[in-house]
Amino acid sequence: MGFLAFIVLGLIAGAIAKAIMPGKSSGGWFATLILGVVGAVVGGWLGSLLFNAPLQEFWSLQTWALAIGGALVVLLIWGMITGRRKE
């Protein structure tokens, strides 16, 4: 999968992860989409490391699940970090 396809996957995964996350999150849509790209990278890296998952196909359900899962984890961590700073 090419670099541009991975960015598009991350942007979409970030939007889906934001829709899944309950409550109001800090940061706007731009921050969420950037965190989605980071989450897709983290999810893809962990998936290939832990599960030996091949991430060659853009339309693979496995690729999308790892990207969305990684985006959820990154958004959750981001929410915990920014939530502590506001208190």
Side-chain angles (χ1 to χ4, degrees):
M1 183 166 45
F3 183 72
L4 185 59
F6 202 70
I7 289 176
V8 170
L9 174 69
L11 292 174
I12 296 170
I16 292 171
K18 181 164 177 89
I20 292 173
M21 290 290 288
K24 185 178 180 185
S25 61
S26 60
W29 276 98
F30 183 73
T32 303
L33 294 177
I34 295 300
L35 291 172
V37 172
V38 171
V41 170
V42 168
W45 177 71
L46 285 176
S48 64
L49 183 69
L50 297 175
F51 306 117
N52 200 20
L55 302 174
Q56 307 302 327
E57 298 290 328
F58 182 78
W59 294 111
S60 169
L61 181 64
Q62 182 177 0
T63 302
W64 282 90
L66 288 172
I68 293 170
L72 282 169
V73 168
V74 169
L75 284 175
L76 181 67
I77 292 170
W78 176 258
M80 290 177 7
I81 290 171
T82 58
R84 288 184 187 155
R85 287 185 183 167
K86 289 183 178 180
E87 294 179 352

